[in-house]
Amino acid sequence: MPWCPVCKSEYVEGKTHCPDCDVDLVDELLPEQEKQEEIPTLTEEEQADILARRAAASQARTYTSAREKQSENRSSAWTFLLVGGIGLVVITLALLGVVKLPLNTFSLAVMEVIFVIFLIIAALSFRKVMRLMDEIAKEDTLDEKIWTWMRENLTKENLTADVDVDTTEELQYFIVSEQIRKQIMLQFPEIDDAYAEDVTENFYNELFLYK
């Protein structure tokens, strides 16, 4: 039976032309030898990990180290101390009649209370700065421990062993960084997600960007 090589329709004997495709019929259809480029695929687990990481990244909490918290508190403490101290001196002089301000006695008294509150906030901030010293020491010790473990156990070769060579850099980042994060959390379950994300980002950059 003749066949159309285009639409693959079978015709009765005697037909030599396909009216639909406007081509001559052939006696038999040859097997198609289509060479399709193989496209790297991810397993369902990898796809789920990537999606989860994308979702986490969009709602990621920014990690703030104890050292950064101390710096912020120290800056706030000095600001409140200077503003409160200068303001209190000026208002006190105004209440004593040494300087003249366009405010009545009640307004001056209210301002003085506000500046006293500023000084109290400054004192509390300085107190928190001192308390953070212990937290910084503990954080530095843990940080050194984690980085030592990562450099000894997580290499570029073993992290990319299951990543296809044709995988894009962006996709590689999501796959590899998720592996890093999971292994860190397994080894150090006491750390929180935000800290793990921060360490993962920095370690990935050290392995793939800075070397």
Side-chain angles (χ1 to χ4, degrees), residues 105-175:
T105 302
F106 177 77
S107 297
L108 290 172
V110 171
M111 293 292 292
E112 187 166 39
V113 171
I114 292 174
F115 288 124
V116 169
I117 292 175
F118 279 12
L119 292 177
I120 294 173
I121 294 174
L124 293 175
S125 296
F126 277 119
R127 184 179 178 183
K128 189 171 183 179
V129 167
M130 297 305 296
R131 287 203 307 265
L132 283 169
M133 292 297 293
D134 289 337
E135 189 174 336
I136 289 173
K138 293 177 182 178
E139 193 175 78
D140 287 346
T141 300
L142 177 61
D143 202 54
E144 182 179 356
K145 184 178 179 181
I146 292 175
W147 276 88
T148 298
W149 178 84
M150 288 191 301
R151 287 168 177 153
E152 291 177 351
N153 296 276
L154 304 180
T155 64
K156 183 185 295 186
E157 289 72 23
N158 62 38
L159 288 170
T160 58
D162 296 327
V163 180
D164 194 286
V165 293
D166 295 323
T167 301
T168 63
E169 289 186 8
E170 181 182 9
L171 196 54
Q172 174 183 280
Y173 165 77
F174 283 110
I175 295 173

Side-chain angles (χ1 to χ4, degrees), residues 21 24 29 49 67 73 85 135 178:
C21 303
D24 293 332
L29 292 176
D49 285 344
R67 198 176 300 278
N73 277 275
E135 189 174 336
E178 185 64 13

Side-chain angles (χ1 to χ4, degrees), residues 175-194:
I175 295 173
V176 173
S177 58
E178 185 64 13
Q179 289 185 55
I180 296 172
R181 189 190 67 82
K182 282 184 176 180
Q183 294 193 50
I184 293 172
M185 294 296 288
L186 285 173
Q187 187 69 23
F188 305 94
E190 69 273 19
I191 67 177
D192 60 29
D193 290 338

Side-chain angles (χ1 to χ4, degrees), residues 1-5 9-11 13-16 24-30:
M1 291 289 186
W3 296 79
C4 173
S9 297
E10 183 181 8
Y11 286 85
E13 290 291 348
K15 289 287 186 178
T16 59
D24 293 332
L25 302 180
V26 296
D27 292 335
E28 60 180 0
L29 292 176
L30 298 176

Side-chain angles (χ1 to χ4, degrees), residues 5-6 8 30-38:
V6 178
K8 310 298 187 296
L30 298 176
E32 295 183 357
Q33 304 295 327
E34 297 182 356
K35 295 183 179 179
Q36 298 181 347
E37 180 182 356
E38 292 185 3

